[in-house]
mmCIF file of all heavy atoms in Angstrom:
data_model
loop_
_atom_site.group_PDB
_atom_site.id
_atom_site.type_symbol
_atom_site.label_atom_id
_atom_site.label_comp_id
_atom_site.label_asym_id
_atom_site.label_seq_id
_atom_site.Cartn_x
_atom_site.Cartn_y
_atom_site.Cartn_z
ATOM 1 N N ASP A 114 -14.181 -0.415 17.618
ATOM 2 C CA ASP A 114 -13.040 -0.626 16.717
ATOM 3 C C ASP A 114 -13.546 -1.533 15.598
ATOM 4 O O ASP A 114 -13.514 -2.755 15.711
ATOM 5 C CB ASP A 114 -11.909 -1.287 17.516
ATOM 6 C CG ASP A 114 -10.705 -1.651 16.666
ATOM 7 O OD1 ASP A 114 -10.676 -1.279 15.480
ATOM 8 O OD2 ASP A 114 -9.809 -2.329 17.181
ATOM 9 N N PRO A 115 -14.054 -0.949 14.503
ATOM 10 C CA PRO A 115 -14.853 -1.699 13.534
ATOM 11 C C PRO A 115 -14.139 -2.843 12.824
ATOM 12 O O PRO A 115 -14.793 -3.812 12.399
ATOM 13 C CB PRO A 115 -15.302 -0.626 12.536
ATOM 14 C CG PRO A 115 -14.298 0.473 12.676
ATOM 15 C CD PRO A 115 -13.904 0.471 14.116
ATOM 16 N N VAL A 116 -12.824 -2.759 12.669
ATOM 17 C CA VAL A 116 -12.132 -3.822 11.922
ATOM 18 C C VAL A 116 -11.182 -4.626 12.793
ATOM 19 O O VAL A 116 -10.420 -5.442 12.281
ATOM 20 C CB VAL A 116 -11.362 -3.230 10.716
ATOM 21 C CG1 VAL A 116 -12.325 -2.581 9.727
ATOM 22 C CG2 VAL A 116 -10.299 -2.237 11.168
ATOM 23 N N GLY A 117 -11.222 -4.400 14.109
ATOM 24 C CA GLY A 117 -10.301 -5.117 14.981
ATOM 25 C C GLY A 117 -8.877 -4.636 14.837
ATOM 26 O O GLY A 117 -7.929 -5.430 14.951
ATOM 27 N N LEU A 118 -8.708 -3.319 14.640
ATOM 28 C CA LEU A 118 -7.368 -2.768 14.435
ATOM 29 C C LEU A 118 -6.500 -2.939 15.676
ATOM 30 O O LEU A 118 -5.306 -3.229 15.562
ATOM 31 C CB LEU A 118 -7.462 -1.290 14.047
ATOM 32 C CG LEU A 118 -6.138 -0.553 13.819
ATOM 33 C CD1 LEU A 118 -5.325 -1.224 12.717
ATOM 34 C CD2 LEU A 118 -6.393 0.918 13.473
ATOM 35 N N PHE A 119 -7.083 -2.787 16.859
ATOM 36 C CA PHE A 119 -6.293 -2.905 18.084
ATOM 37 C C PHE A 119 -5.624 -4.270 18.175
ATOM 38 O O PHE A 119 -4.417 -4.367 18.412
ATOM 39 C CB PHE A 119 -7.182 -2.674 19.315
ATOM 40 C CG PHE A 119 -6.425 -2.702 20.621
ATOM 41 C CD1 PHE A 119 -5.861 -1.547 21.139
ATOM 42 C CD2 PHE A 119 -6.256 -3.890 21.327
ATOM 43 C CE1 PHE A 119 -5.157 -1.567 22.340
ATOM 44 C CE2 PHE A 119 -5.560 -3.927 22.523
ATOM 45 C CZ PHE A 119 -4.999 -2.754 23.026
ATOM 46 N N ASP A 120 -6.406 -5.322 17.979
ATOM 47 C CA ASP A 120 -5.849 -6.675 18.073
ATOM 48 C C ASP A 120 -4.772 -6.905 17.024
ATOM 49 O O ASP A 120 -3.752 -7.574 17.289
ATOM 50 C CB ASP A 120 -6.959 -7.712 17.921
ATOM 51 C CG ASP A 120 -7.899 -7.741 19.122
ATOM 52 O OD1 ASP A 120 -7.496 -7.263 20.197
ATOM 53 O OD2 ASP A 120 -9.033 -8.233 18.981
ATOM 54 N N ALA A 121 -4.988 -6.340 15.824
ATOM 55 C CA ALA A 121 -3.990 -6.494 14.765
ATOM 56 C C ALA A 121 -2.691 -5.786 15.154
ATOM 57 O O ALA A 121 -1.593 -6.323 14.951
ATOM 58 C CB ALA A 121 -4.525 -5.935 13.450
ATOM 59 N N LEU A 122 -2.819 -4.597 15.754
ATOM 60 C CA LEU A 122 -1.624 -3.852 16.138
ATOM 61 C C LEU A 122 -0.897 -4.511 17.307
ATOM 62 O O LEU A 122 0.325 -4.380 17.435
ATOM 63 C CB LEU A 122 -1.995 -2.408 16.487
ATOM 64 C CG LEU A 122 -2.500 -1.538 15.320
ATOM 65 C CD1 LEU A 122 -2.841 -0.133 15.804
ATOM 66 C CD2 LEU A 122 -1.492 -1.478 14.183
ATOM 67 N N VAL A 251 -6.024 -8.064 9.565
ATOM 68 C CA VAL A 251 -7.446 -7.711 9.643
ATOM 69 C C VAL A 251 -8.200 -8.039 8.357
ATOM 70 O O VAL A 251 -9.409 -7.930 8.304
ATOM 71 C CB VAL A 251 -7.638 -6.211 9.967
ATOM 72 C CG1 VAL A 251 -6.994 -5.861 11.284
ATOM 73 C CG2 VAL A 251 -7.094 -5.329 8.854
#
Side-chain angles (χ1 to χ4, degrees):
D114 176 7
V116 297
L118 179 59
F119 183 89
D120 290 340
L122 293 180
V251 300

